Amino acid sequence: MNTEILAAHGIDYEAGVARFRGNEALYEKLLSMVLKDTTFPRMREAYDAQDDAELFEGAHELKGVSGNAALNKLYEADCRLVEYLRTGAGDRQKTDALFSAVEAAYDNAVEGIRLALGL
Amino acid sequence: MTCGISAIGDVCKSQCETRGLAFETRFETDVDEWLTGDQHRVEQILMNLLGNAVKFTEEGFVRLSLSQREAGSDKVFLRFEVSDSGCGMSKQMQQRLFKPFEQENVASAQKYGGNGLGLSIVSSLVNMMGGSIRVESVEGTGSIFTVNLPFNRSGAQIDLPDLQNVGPLHALIVDNDATEREYLSTVLDHIGVRNEQTANGADALLALARAERENDSFNICFVDWRMPGMDGIETTRRIRELCREDMIVIIVSAYDHYQANESARAAGANLYITKPVIQSSLYDLFAAMVGERFEEKTEAQPSFDFSGRRALIAEDNAMNRMVMQSIVESLGLACDMAEDGQIALDRFTASKPGDYDIVLMDIQMPNMDGLEATRRIRASAHSDARSIPVIAVTANAFNEDIAKSLSAGMNAHVSKPIDKKILAAAMEKAFKEMHA
């Protein structure tokens, strides 16, 4: 596992492994599950449909998932989106900007996982 | 009590923000953290009064003030004051205000809606609790509703370990509002933090320099966000220029805005917290900060071992389930997993008494969410229904979410990403409370 690649993509390997009592294989399995997780694709659908309530639900879920999986950059970007949507959103440009940041962080994390796992 | 008030305040704050109103929760005296009374009725009363205040105020503010009066060794009265800068009401209306179906006039009923029952119910609830309610109002200026309610002092008190064993704390409170300064000072006194006060940023800088000269430096500053003259941001910048890097600066504000948080941090603040500052959260904050900064002085972390116990974990996301299971098993518990609230409820109701020692419950789940599952667990005929600890485990750590969890019957709330120590501490506290 190339932890430098993960770090460059905003993923804290050490913190992630610590959640599994040092079991690297389990954390690597968790990382591979990120690639199949449907949370962000659901968020993208909600965003395209301009459904802020559904987008908020997805962003809330992604906050838990990305935090637990130590996808730190994605977690930080998603927290901003959650906080904005929680207060009622309303400004489409702001939603666009925050969602784009989450999307970029998600794509970056997925790329890092693929590279690190050799997929 | 303070946690509950803070949560109610947060709900109202968000309503005020939507309508462009300022909202403030103000603790005018120290208030016991633990009191015995009917929390549900208190919430109904306050939500009703605050809801009305927001509804009838088109510009200006809504404020909830709270103070405590002693009434013997085991009894206190809390005075809740809900004030607003709304449309107010006539003298005639004030006299018939607490009767059912009363509204100012047809125009008012049409403009603001409602059925005129709210205040009649509030009045009944207050009477049932042995309290009193009165109103002062001036048309076009605003209204003040004052409710006095009796509570018994609770035997339960927060068991706070001594903060002094991790290092001496010396705090400076900078706030132009004398009531706020006094309140924060009392809270700090209670948790054993030596503190001093100044009324503005310039005096704060002088106090910091003096303390440095006298070899009695401050290590924490609480700076109010909004002060006339030098505001909280500027004061923070100057403190950063003047003081050592390890000075902790906390900006305290009545406003909870992401942008404000960013400005505070950009100015060099370590933290941005919203008022009212309550004792238990302040303690947790210090314990975490001091623990981190004085780590070398602290004793070994307590090791938790819950061997022999079994947890029921409700979590719909497969990745989160995996992480939860690993962390919970590392604490010695066996786990059963449920993919949603309905499955968790079914597992619990089908279990034998004592099969499960604790339930860890996600909130947002398909089929049945964690709040509903908890309500149904509590209402079930299972012999452990009322006693089993249920801990909410969710990505939302906002006060209104915590309030919802607690009012659904949960014992505590832990945020994702899961921190093993925080989860363990919450579980240990829940087990202790269960056996108390």
Side-chain angles (χ1 to χ4, degrees), chain A residues 17-76:
Chain A
V17 170
R19 291 185 186 284
F20 292 97
R21 289 174 276 171
N23 188 328
E24 296 181 354
L26 271 182
Y27 181 57
E28 286 167 23
K29 183 178 170 195
L30 184 81
L31 287 180
S32 71
M33 287 167 76
V34 172
L35 306 177
K36 297 176 204 150
D37 188 73
T38 58
T39 311
F40 184 76
R42 279 191 288 116
M43 279 173 69
R44 198 180 334 236
E45 278 176 27
Y47 172 75
D48 290 340
Q50 302 205 358
D51 183 343
D52 281 353
E54 194 64 30
L55 181 60
F56 176 69
E57 285 213 356
H60 162 87
E61 174 134 3
L62 187 67
K63 187 175 161 188
V65 169
S66 58
N68 273 337
L71 312 179
N72 292 354
K73 290 285 178 206
L74 176 57
Y75 174 73
E76 286 164 18

Side-chain angles (χ1 to χ4, degrees), chain B residues 72-139:
Chain B
S73 60
D74 57 355
K75 199 169 195 179
V76 300
F77 265 82
L78 292 189
R79 190 177 77 171
F80 302 91
E81 200 175 87
V82 174
S83 46
D84 64 62
S85 59
C87 58
M89 65 191 98
S90 64
K91 288 278 180 205
Q92 292 82 351
M93 183 62 204
Q94 289 175 48
Q95 284 163 6
R96 52 190 166 91
L97 190 61
F98 298 116
K99 293 178 185 164
F101 304 110
E102 292 291 348
Q103 295 195 325
E104 181 79 271
N105 52 45
V106 174
S108 168
Q110 282 174 344
K111 182 173 179 185
Y112 297 110
N115 53 21
L117 267 174
L119 286 175
S120 152
I121 293 169
V122 166
S123 176
S124 300
L125 290 172
V126 170
N127 288 333
M128 277 193 282
M129 292 180 74
S132 64
I133 182 167
R134 66 187 162 85
V135 61
E136 296 162 68
S137 184
V138 177
E139 271 186 285

